[in-house]
Amino acid sequence: MLSAEFTGEQIREMVFEYCRLPYGQHGPWMVAHPSVSRGMMTRWRTAVFDGDVDRGLVPRQTEPMNSQPKGRQGMVERRAIETARHAEELARRDAQIRELKETNELLGKAIGLLHTLNVPEPDDTPTRTDPTDS
């Protein structure tokens, strides 16, 4: 287990967030996240890029096994692109949901109006139902 207080997905997100930071911003990020130490971030980065975060496996070797720094940056960039696409898709679906809700509301109003227009109105001249009423 890499961390008792963070899930594998949370660890992955923090590592990608940390790796996307420009030069000189890693220190302030670490200060803003006091529950994450530098050693912990190093282990997490190794697990994310070369190991298995979900099972808590970190490679024993200290040198990169599977991915080189350029490959790691590519993974970070692909993740950022994927996150941006996901955000765009969510925004598009939110707009579609809003549009459908507005349409549903208008249809409800139209149906209500039709019901009020279809109410039978009283006749102008009353009809006689009792023949002795003359």
Side-chain angles (χ1 to χ4, degrees):
M1 178 185 276
L2 288 173
S3 174
E5 57 185 301
F6 298 107
T7 65
E9 188 59 33
Q10 289 172 326
I11 290 171
R12 206 174 283 110
E13 287 301 319
M14 281 195 279
V15 166
F16 285 124
E17 178 183 339
Y18 180 83
C19 289
R20 279 193 302 264
L21 293 172
Y23 181 79
Q25 296 300 311
H26 295 110
W29 188 93
M30 294 301 290
V31 170
H33 297 83
S35 58
V36 179
S37 68
R38 289 200 183 275
M40 191 182 288
M41 180 54 74
T42 301
R43 281 191 306 279
W44 287 359
R45 287 174 58 196
T46 305
V48 167
F49 294 120
D50 295 326
D52 188 348
V53 175
D54 296 322
R55 292 191 304 167
L57 300 177
V58 180
R60 290 185 190 175
Q61 289 84 2
T62 56
E63 70 273 353
M65 290 172 36
N66 298 328
S67 61
Q68 299 301 318
K70 287 182 183 179
R72 290 180 180 193
Q73 187 60 33
M75 289 174 72
V76 170
E77 290 170 2
R78 283 191 299 275
R79 181 64 173 234
I81 291 169
E82 178 183 315
T83 303
R85 282 187 190 147
H86 183 72
E88 288 174 7
E89 179 69 16
L90 285 177
R92 188 182 65 75
R93 288 186 183 190
D94 284 345
Q96 185 179 18
I97 288 170
R98 270 193 307 280
E99 182 181 331
L100 289 172
K101 283 183 178 179
E102 290 170 0
T103 302
N104 193 23
E105 186 178 321
L106 289 174
L107 283 173
K109 288 179 180 179
I111 290 171
L113 182 62
L114 286 174
H115 281 296
T116 58
L117 293 176
N118 272 337
V119 172
E121 296 178 9
D123 291 336
D124 289 337
T125 58
T127 56
R128 289 190 225 163
T129 55
D130 187 12
T132 60
D133 259 357
S134 335

